[in-house]
mmCIF file of all heavy atoms in Angstrom:
data_model
loop_
_atom_site.group_PDB
_atom_site.id
_atom_site.type_symbol
_atom_site.label_atom_id
_atom_site.label_comp_id
_atom_site.label_asym_id
_atom_site.label_seq_id
_atom_site.Cartn_x
_atom_site.Cartn_y
_atom_site.Cartn_z
ATOM 1 N N PHE A 320 -6.042 -39.991 3.602
ATOM 2 C CA PHE A 320 -5.843 -41.436 3.495
ATOM 3 C C PHE A 320 -6.132 -42.139 4.821
ATOM 4 O O PHE A 320 -6.692 -43.237 4.846
ATOM 5 C CB PHE A 320 -4.404 -41.742 3.051
ATOM 6 C CG PHE A 320 -4.221 -41.666 1.559
ATOM 7 C CD1 PHE A 320 -3.408 -40.704 0.992
ATOM 8 C CD2 PHE A 320 -4.880 -42.552 0.721
ATOM 9 C CE1 PHE A 320 -3.240 -40.626 -0.383
ATOM 10 C CE2 PHE A 320 -4.717 -42.488 -0.658
ATOM 11 C CZ PHE A 320 -3.898 -41.525 -1.204
ATOM 12 N N PHE A 327 -12.726 -47.869 5.457
ATOM 13 C CA PHE A 327 -12.649 -49.212 4.874
ATOM 14 C C PHE A 327 -12.530 -50.280 5.963
ATOM 15 O O PHE A 327 -13.170 -51.342 5.886
ATOM 16 C CB PHE A 327 -11.458 -49.306 3.919
ATOM 17 C CG PHE A 327 -11.761 -48.821 2.529
ATOM 18 C CD1 PHE A 327 -11.222 -47.634 2.049
ATOM 19 C CD2 PHE A 327 -12.599 -49.553 1.696
ATOM 20 C CE1 PHE A 327 -11.500 -47.194 0.767
ATOM 21 C CE2 PHE A 327 -12.884 -49.122 0.409
ATOM 22 C CZ PHE A 327 -12.334 -47.932 -0.053
ATOM 23 N N LEU A 398 -17.759 -44.549 -0.168
ATOM 24 C CA LEU A 398 -16.685 -45.451 -0.594
ATOM 25 C C LEU A 398 -16.931 -46.028 -1.984
ATOM 26 O O LEU A 398 -16.101 -46.792 -2.490
ATOM 27 C CB LEU A 398 -16.513 -46.584 0.423
ATOM 28 C CG LEU A 398 -16.082 -46.153 1.833
ATOM 29 C CD1 LEU A 398 -15.945 -47.356 2.752
ATOM 30 C CD2 LEU A 398 -14.778 -45.391 1.787
ATOM 31 N N ARG A 399 -18.073 -45.720 -2.574
ATOM 32 C CA ARG A 399 -18.386 -46.076 -3.962
ATOM 33 C C ARG A 399 -18.353 -47.595 -4.226
ATOM 34 O O ARG A 399 -17.511 -48.085 -4.963
ATOM 35 C CB ARG A 399 -17.435 -45.346 -4.917
ATOM 36 C CG ARG A 399 -17.645 -43.840 -4.955
ATOM 37 C CD ARG A 399 -16.673 -43.177 -5.877
ATOM 38 N NE ARG A 399 -15.307 -43.384 -5.435
ATOM 39 C CZ ARG A 399 -14.237 -43.111 -6.169
ATOM 40 N NH1 ARG A 399 -14.399 -42.647 -7.400
ATOM 41 N NH2 ARG A 399 -13.024 -43.310 -5.706
ATOM 42 N N GLU A 405 -17.636 -56.019 -4.614
ATOM 43 C CA GLU A 405 -17.150 -54.725 -5.106
ATOM 44 C C GLU A 405 -16.414 -53.958 -4.011
ATOM 45 O O GLU A 405 -15.428 -53.270 -4.268
ATOM 46 C CB GLU A 405 -18.326 -53.896 -5.624
ATOM 47 C CG GLU A 405 -17.900 -52.681 -6.424
ATOM 48 C CD GLU A 405 -19.083 -51.946 -7.010
ATOM 49 O OE1 GLU A 405 -20.205 -52.492 -6.980
ATOM 50 O OE2 GLU A 405 -18.874 -50.814 -7.509
ATOM 51 N N PHE A 406 -16.885 -54.097 -2.764
ATOM 52 C CA PHE A 406 -16.218 -53.432 -1.640
ATOM 53 C C PHE A 406 -14.782 -53.928 -1.491
ATOM 54 O O PHE A 406 -13.842 -53.120 -1.377
ATOM 55 C CB PHE A 406 -16.992 -53.674 -0.334
ATOM 56 C CG PHE A 406 -16.184 -53.336 0.890
ATOM 57 C CD1 PHE A 406 -15.968 -52.017 1.262
ATOM 58 C CD2 PHE A 406 -15.604 -54.351 1.658
ATOM 59 C CE1 PHE A 406 -15.202 -51.720 2.380
ATOM 60 C CE2 PHE A 406 -14.840 -54.047 2.773
ATOM 61 C CZ PHE A 406 -14.651 -52.727 3.135
ATOM 62 N N TYR A 407 -14.605 -55.239 -1.480
ATOM 63 C CA TYR A 407 -13.253 -55.769 -1.262
ATOM 64 C C TYR A 407 -12.337 -55.427 -2.444
ATOM 65 O O TYR A 407 -11.124 -55.227 -2.261
ATOM 66 C CB TYR A 407 -13.311 -57.278 -1.020
ATOM 67 C CG TYR A 407 -13.737 -57.602 0.391
ATOM 68 C CD1 TYR A 407 -14.990 -58.156 0.663
ATOM 69 C CD2 TYR A 407 -12.894 -57.325 1.458
ATOM 70 C CE1 TYR A 407 -15.386 -58.426 1.956
ATOM 71 C CE2 TYR A 407 -13.284 -57.598 2.769
ATOM 72 C CZ TYR A 407 -14.522 -58.148 3.011
ATOM 73 O OH TYR A 407 -14.897 -58.409 4.304
ATOM 74 N N GLN A 408 -12.915 -55.309 -3.620
ATOM 75 C CA GLN A 408 -12.119 -54.882 -4.763
ATOM 76 C C GLN A 408 -11.687 -53.423 -4.593
ATOM 77 O O GLN A 408 -10.525 -53.073 -4.833
ATOM 78 C CB GLN A 408 -12.934 -55.038 -6.048
ATOM 79 C CG GLN A 408 -12.136 -54.689 -7.304
ATOM 80 C CD GLN A 408 -12.977 -54.816 -8.561
ATOM 81 O OE1 GLN A 408 -14.092 -55.334 -8.522
ATOM 82 N NE2 GLN A 408 -12.430 -54.343 -9.652
ATOM 83 N N ARG A 409 -12.627 -52.553 -4.156
ATOM 84 C CA ARG A 409 -12.310 -51.136 -3.898
ATOM 85 C C ARG A 409 -11.291 -51.006 -2.768
ATOM 86 O O ARG A 409 -10.390 -50.156 -2.835
ATOM 87 C CB ARG A 409 -13.590 -50.374 -3.519
ATOM 88 C CG ARG A 409 -14.542 -50.145 -4.654
ATOM 89 C CD ARG A 409 -14.146 -48.921 -5.515
ATOM 90 N NE ARG A 409 -14.167 -47.718 -4.708
ATOM 91 C CZ ARG A 409 -13.125 -46.917 -4.525
ATOM 92 N NH1 ARG A 409 -11.972 -47.215 -5.097
ATOM 93 N NH2 ARG A 409 -13.208 -45.838 -3.785
ATOM 94 N N TYR A 410 -11.441 -51.848 -1.742
ATOM 95 C CA TYR A 410 -10.523 -51.815 -0.601
ATOM 96 C C TYR A 410 -9.102 -52.148 -1.056
ATOM 97 O O TYR A 410 -8.121 -51.493 -0.663
ATOM 98 C CB TYR A 410 -11.009 -52.799 0.468
ATOM 99 C CG TYR A 410 -10.331 -52.653 1.820
ATOM 100 C CD1 TYR A 410 -9.446 -51.610 2.086
ATOM 101 C CD2 TYR A 410 -10.591 -53.569 2.845
ATOM 102 C CE1 TYR A 410 -8.847 -51.477 3.324
ATOM 103 C CE2 TYR A 410 -9.987 -53.446 4.084
ATOM 104 C CZ TYR A 410 -9.116 -52.399 4.311
ATOM 105 O OH TYR A 410 -8.503 -52.272 5.543
ATOM 106 N N GLN A 411 -8.997 -53.133 -1.907
ATOM 107 C CA GLN A 411 -7.684 -53.535 -2.409
ATOM 108 C C GLN A 411 -7.066 -52.413 -3.260
ATOM 109 O O GLN A 411 -5.871 -52.110 -3.130
ATOM 110 C CB GLN A 411 -7.806 -54.826 -3.225
ATOM 111 C CG GLN A 411 -6.474 -55.409 -3.668
ATOM 112 C CD GLN A 411 -6.663 -56.716 -4.426
ATOM 113 O OE1 GLN A 411 -7.791 -57.133 -4.688
ATOM 114 N NE2 GLN A 411 -5.563 -57.355 -4.765
ATOM 115 N N GLU A 412 -7.882 -51.796 -4.134
ATOM 116 C CA GLU A 412 -7.390 -50.696 -4.977
ATOM 117 C C GLU A 412 -6.939 -49.518 -4.111
ATOM 118 O O GLU A 412 -5.899 -48.900 -4.368
ATOM 119 C CB GLU A 412 -8.495 -50.242 -5.931
ATOM 120 C CG GLU A 412 -8.832 -51.261 -7.008
ATOM 121 C CD GLU A 412 -10.068 -50.860 -7.796
ATOM 122 O OE1 GLU A 412 -10.689 -49.823 -7.432
ATOM 123 O OE2 GLU A 412 -10.430 -51.571 -8.751
ATOM 124 N N PHE A 413 -7.750 -49.199 -3.088
ATOM 125 C CA PHE A 413 -7.399 -48.093 -2.195
ATOM 126 C C PHE A 413 -6.085 -48.375 -1.463
ATOM 127 O O PHE A 413 -5.229 -47.485 -1.344
ATOM 128 C CB PHE A 413 -8.533 -47.862 -1.176
ATOM 129 C CG PHE A 413 -8.122 -46.989 -0.033
ATOM 130 C CD1 PHE A 413 -8.043 -45.612 -0.187
ATOM 131 C CD2 PHE A 413 -7.800 -47.537 1.199
ATOM 132 C CE1 PHE A 413 -7.647 -44.810 0.873
ATOM 133 C CE2 PHE A 413 -7.409 -46.735 2.262
ATOM 134 C CZ PHE A 413 -7.337 -45.367 2.089
ATOM 135 N N SER A 414 -5.926 -49.588 -0.963
ATOM 136 C CA SER A 414 -4.713 -49.938 -0.215
ATOM 137 C C SER A 414 -3.475 -49.778 -1.085
ATOM 138 O O SER A 414 -2.441 -49.256 -0.627
ATOM 139 C CB SER A 414 -4.816 -51.372 0.309
ATOM 140 O OG SER A 414 -5.909 -51.507 1.180
ATOM 141 N N GLN A 415 -3.601 -50.178 -2.356
ATOM 142 C CA GLN A 415 -2.466 -50.042 -3.268
ATOM 143 C C GLN A 415 -2.171 -48.564 -3.558
ATOM 144 O O GLN A 415 -1.015 -48.128 -3.549
ATOM 145 C CB GLN A 415 -2.774 -50.778 -4.577
ATOM 146 C CG GLN A 415 -1.599 -50.855 -5.546
ATOM 147 C CD GLN A 415 -0.428 -51.622 -4.953
ATOM 148 O OE1 GLN A 415 -0.600 -52.703 -4.393
ATOM 149 N NE2 GLN A 415 0.766 -51.050 -5.069
ATOM 150 N N LYS A 416 -3.246 -47.798 -3.791
ATOM 151 C CA LYS A 416 -3.095 -46.373 -4.062
ATOM 152 C C LYS A 416 -2.501 -45.646 -2.859
ATOM 153 O O LYS A 416 -1.609 -44.796 -2.999
ATOM 154 C CB LYS A 416 -4.463 -45.772 -4.401
ATOM 155 C CG LYS A 416 -4.423 -44.291 -4.737
ATOM 156 C CD LYS A 416 -5.829 -43.788 -5.042
ATOM 157 C CE LYS A 416 -5.819 -42.287 -5.296
ATOM 158 N NZ LYS A 416 -7.185 -41.771 -5.544
ATOM 159 N N LYS A 417 -2.976 -46.007 -1.687
ATOM 160 C CA LYS A 417 -2.482 -45.393 -0.454
ATOM 161 C C LYS A 417 -0.996 -45.682 -0.272
ATOM 162 O O LYS A 417 -0.195 -44.794 0.038
ATOM 163 C CB LYS A 417 -3.276 -45.923 0.736
ATOM 164 C CG LYS A 417 -2.748 -45.460 2.094
ATOM 165 C CD LYS A 417 -3.341 -46.274 3.206
ATOM 166 C CE LYS A 417 -2.601 -46.013 4.500
ATOM 167 N NZ LYS A 417 -2.959 -46.968 5.550
ATOM 168 N N GLU A 418 -0.629 -46.933 -0.477
ATOM 169 C CA GLU A 418 0.767 -47.315 -0.301
ATOM 170 C C GLU A 418 1.667 -46.542 -1.269
ATOM 171 O O GLU A 418 2.718 -46.015 -0.871
ATOM 172 C CB GLU A 418 0.926 -48.824 -0.521
ATOM 173 C CG GLU A 418 2.339 -49.319 -0.267
ATOM 174 C CD GLU A 418 2.459 -50.822 -0.485
ATOM 175 O OE1 GLU A 418 1.441 -51.458 -0.809
ATOM 176 O OE2 GLU A 418 3.574 -51.341 -0.346
ATOM 177 N N ASN A 419 1.232 -46.445 -2.542
ATOM 178 C CA ASN A 419 2.025 -45.729 -3.542
ATOM 179 C C ASN A 419 2.159 -44.246 -3.210
ATOM 180 O O ASN A 419 3.249 -43.667 -3.288
ATOM 181 C CB ASN A 419 1.399 -45.890 -4.931
ATOM 182 C CG ASN A 419 1.450 -47.325 -5.430
ATOM 183 O OD1 ASN A 419 2.268 -48.123 -4.961
ATOM 184 N ND2 ASN A 419 0.573 -47.666 -6.362
#
Side-chain angles (χ1 to χ4, degrees):
F320 276 115
F327 275 109
L398 297 180
R399 292 179 298 168
E405 193 176 349
F406 165 75
Y407 281 109
Q408 184 182 350
R409 288 278 299 122
Y410 193 6
Q411 186 178 5
E412 291 171 356
F413 166 78
S414 299
Q415 187 62 47
K416 181 181 176 182
K417 174 194 168 191
E418 184 180 359
N419 294 339

